[in-house]
Amino acid sequence: MLENILIGLGIFSAVTFVLSLLLLPWFIARIPADYFTRPRDSDPWRVLLQPRALLRNLLGLPVLLAGIAMLVLPGQGILTIMIALGIMSFPGKFALEKWIISRKGVLQAVNWIRQKSHHPPLAAP
């Protein structure tokens, strides 16, 4: 039983690692350069009532869980969590994204990936 769980975790780790390598640059390149400096909506709670937000959250949840798993498994955990947060819509999202991007080295890594795909760097929050 334990052997099956370990094999499953190994396969999950390998799949999420490959997916993060393939999809992460594409997602990071799609972030607008002024994402952290432009004005925000004054009523973030109304987003929870929109069907589009529910769909985005359902799509973003597996990506978020994979990012959290990659914190201890092979993969790019913090960057994958940032991508999941970009997909999802919830109150407090922007403050959380700003906190994550301001961690040491995260903005530098994101901008390095953007530079490789010929996109302008993200403005610092």
Side-chain angles (χ1 to χ4, degrees):
M1 179 69 170
L2 180 61
E3 185 177 316
N4 290 339
I5 292 173
L6 292 176
I7 290 172
L9 282 175
I11 291 171
F12 174 75
S13 175
V15 168
T16 56
F17 178 72
V18 170
L19 283 175
S20 72
L21 289 177
L22 296 175
L23 295 177
L24 201 56
W26 182 78
F27 280 121
I28 288 176
R30 295 189 46 88
I31 300 171
D34 66 341
Y35 183 77
F36 292 105
T37 57
R38 65 181 173 200
R40 295 288 160 198
D41 187 7
S42 61
D43 185 19
W45 287 97
R46 70 179 170 83
V47 74
L48 292 179
L49 302 175
Q50 300 171 353
R52 180 177 177 210
L54 291 174
L55 180 62
R56 289 177 65 174
N57 289 340
L58 287 174
L59 292 173
L61 185 61
V63 179
L64 178 64
L65 294 175
I68 292 169
M70 282 185 233
L71 292 174
V72 294
L73 299 170
Q76 301 167 342
I78 296 293
L79 292 175
T80 305
I81 291 171
M82 285 295 294
I83 297 305
L85 293 177
I87 295 170
M88 298 172 80
S89 296
F90 56 90
K93 170 186 154 181
F94 184 67
L96 180 61
E97 288 172 332
K98 279 178 56 173
W99 180 82
I100 291 173
I101 201 77
S102 66
R103 300 299 89 185
K104 183 180 179 181
V106 174
L107 182 61
Q108 182 182 4
V110 168
N111 283 335
W112 180 80
I113 292 171
R114 289 177 63 86
Q115 178 187 4
K116 293 294 181 186
S117 61
H118 306 292
H119 285 82
L122 292 176

